[in-house]
């Protein structure tokens, strides 16, 4: 694995912005579209490296990585959204997202084509989820951020990485040795 880009350690939170305070979002590309996730969910960004495949897993689970001794499942967002597998390039990254359910925390890596930047988007600039026209399930979308006259799809990570899947991924990580 290559060098890691650390983001400040902050607890994961629900994506509920205050009335007028701009929120920060990490933006990335996937299949030519720009997506964003709340920066509070992002633990770090790493260069794409060796991912160990796990047999008999859903197609969108690319495998697991060893992140400083911890086994972290890696999800291919392109496959998760019903498209083909992400093609690996020089800019392909794994964004480590920390999810919390009650007292349990789970780190999950998501493959993206390229990380762009961190943007501040004020709540008035976030439109509700469209009821049609999106190439991904509408329940995966938290909202549509307006940035410089274009839309950025803000993902609801708690839905994209649902509770049932988190449980399954946690079980996989617990049953594998840390030397993956």
């Amino acid at each position: 694995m290559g060098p890691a880009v650390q983001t400040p350690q902050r607890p994961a939170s629900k994506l509920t912005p205050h009335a007028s305070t701009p929120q920060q979002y990490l933006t990335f590309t996937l299949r030519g579209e720009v997506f964003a996730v709340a920066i509070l969910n992002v633990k770090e960004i790493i260069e794409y490296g060796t991912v160990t495949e796990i047999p008999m897993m859903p197609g969108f689970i690319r495998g697991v990585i060893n992140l400083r001794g911890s086994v972290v499942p890696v999800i291919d967002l392109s496959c998760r959204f019903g498209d083909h597998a992400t093609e690996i390039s020089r800019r392909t990254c794994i964004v480590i997202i920390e999810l919390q359910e009650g007292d349990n925390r789970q780190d999950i890596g998501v493959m993206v084509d390229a990380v762009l930047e961190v943007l501040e988007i004020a709540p008035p600039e976030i439109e509700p989820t469209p009821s049609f026209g999106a190439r991904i399930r509408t329940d995966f979308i938290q909202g549509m951020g307006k940035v410089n006259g274009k839309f950025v799809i803000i993902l609801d990570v708690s839905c994209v990485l649902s509770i049932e899947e988190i449980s399954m991924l946690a079980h996989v990580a617990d049953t594998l040795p840390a030397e993956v």
Side-chain angles (χ1 to χ4, degrees), residues 27-31 33 35 45 86 89-93 95 111-117:
T27 59
F28 57 88
T29 59
L30 190 63
R31 302 179 333 251
E33 290 188 65
F35 293 88
I45 303 162
T86 299
S89 71
R90 287 185 319 107
R91 298 198 59 202
T92 303
C93 296
V95 178
M111 286 179 60
V112 301
D113 291 340
V115 169
L116 299 177
E117 62 185 325

Side-chain angles (χ1 to χ4, degrees), residues 4-121:
V5 178
Q6 292 274 7
T7 57
Q9 291 290 328
R10 289 178 241 175
S13 67
K14 289 284 185 193
L15 306 178
T16 52
H18 294 73
S20 62
T21 307
Q23 301 296 304
Q24 291 188 323
Y25 296 90
L26 176 71
T27 59
F28 57 88
T29 59
L30 190 63
R31 302 179 333 251
E33 290 188 65
V34 179
F35 293 88
V37 293
I39 197 72
L40 293 176
N41 293 102
V42 177
K43 190 170 183 181
E44 63 186 282
I45 303 162
I46 60 174
E47 181 180 319
Y48 184 85
T50 304
V51 175
T52 303
E53 289 185 31
I54 306 296
M56 300 180 65
M57 286 304 216
F60 65 88
I61 299 177
R62 196 70 171 244
V64 295
I65 58 171
N66 179 344
L67 186 63
R68 292 182 294 285
S70 296
V71 176
V72 177
V74 176
I75 291 179
D76 186 333
L77 275 186
S78 183
C79 286
R80 178 72 172 120
F81 296 159
D83 208 348
H84 57 81
T86 299
E87 291 185 31
I88 309 304
S89 71
R90 287 185 319 107
R91 298 198 59 202
T92 303
C93 296
I94 298 174
V95 178
I96 306 297
I97 295 180
E98 183 179 70
L99 296 173
Q100 185 163 353
E101 174 64 24
D103 293 336
N104 299 324
R105 288 186 183 193
Q106 174 71 43
D107 289 345
I108 297 177
V110 291
M111 286 179 60
V112 301
D113 291 340
V115 169
L116 299 177
E117 62 185 325
V118 174
L119 294 175
E120 283 193 351
I121 305 175

Side-chain angles (χ1 to χ4, degrees), residues 126-130 140-145 152-156:
I126 299 175
E127 297 292 323
T129 302
F140 286 176
I141 303 172
Q142 179 194 359
M144 304 293 289
V152 173
I153 301 168
I154 302 172
L155 297 175
D156 181 347

